[in-house]
């Protein structure tokens, strides 16, 4: 259980508020950020370019609710529900983030998206 605002929570809040400086302030200079659909951003200048380009193109983070989070040494994890609008299309999905710290800043962050609706298994597979 996380009792104080973690660097991962601050990173997420920065995105929620479209605050580039807040996001960058939670990352190491040589950070690596891996998005759930493939892109890898290496270093603060690339993360800043990504954020500014995405926001300038009209991308919005409409919601990013953390549903659970935890810490194990220098590893932070969070499950979440994410909503955004990109090129006029709204999307919402669930996922998780694993972040590695160096000091009090994130050196590596990787996101994972749930790729299908969740359901309770009842003894047979859905087709």
């Amino acid at each position: 259980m996380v009792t104080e605002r973690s660097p991962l929570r601050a990173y997420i809040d920065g995105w929620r508020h479209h605050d580039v400086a807040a996001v960058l302030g939670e990352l190491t200079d040589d950070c690596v950020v891996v998005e759930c659909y493939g892109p890898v951003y290496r270093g603060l200048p690339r993360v800043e370019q990504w954020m500014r380009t995405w926001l300038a193109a009209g991308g919005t983070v409409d919601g990013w609710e953390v549903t659970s989070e935890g810490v194990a040494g220098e590893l932070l994890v969070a499950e979440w529900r994410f909503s955004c609008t990109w090129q006029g299309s709204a999307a919402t999905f669930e996922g998780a983030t694993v972040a590695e710290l160096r000091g009090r800043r994130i050196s590596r962050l990787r996101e994972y998206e749930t790729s299908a609706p969740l359901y309770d298994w009842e003894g047979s597979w859905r087709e």
Side-chain angles (χ1 to χ4, degrees):
M1 176 184 225
V2 177
T3 57
E4 63 182 74
R5 186 169 168 216
S6 72
L8 178 53
R9 178 67 75 138
Y11 173 90
I12 289 170
D13 287 347
W15 269 104
R16 287 179 53 242
H17 295 103
H18 304 160
D19 186 339
V20 175
V23 170
L24 297 177
E26 299 303 326
L27 301 170
T28 61
D29 292 343
D30 61 345
C31 65
V32 176
V33 176
V34 181
E35 281 199 272
C36 59
Y37 64 94
V40 179
Y41 310 99
R42 298 180 192 278
L44 280 183
R46 186 63 78 200
V47 172
E48 181 175 11
Q49 180 187 21
W50 158 47
M51 287 191 72
R52 291 194 187 284
T53 301
W54 192 79
L55 292 168
T60 62
V61 174
D62 304 321
W64 198 341
E65 174 194 2
V66 175
T67 56
S68 69
E69 59 187 311
V71 59
E74 296 294 302
L75 194 66
L76 303 174
V77 296
E79 292 180 297
W80 38 258
R81 182 173 178 82
F82 180 80
S83 298
C84 71
T85 301
W86 174 244
Q87 296 182 335
S89 296
T92 298
F93 57 91
E94 294 181 337
T97 299
V98 177
E100 298 174 30
L101 296 178
R102 186 178 326 124
R104 288 283 303 151
R105 294 170 68 202
I106 298 168
S107 61
R108 186 171 192 282
L109 183 144
R110 180 149 186 189
E111 296 175 342
Y112 298 88
E113 176 184 351
T114 301
S115 60
L118 300 177
Y119 65 93
D120 290 329
W121 189 68
E122 298 176 351
S124 63
W125 304 110
R126 290 185 178 184
E127 304 256 344

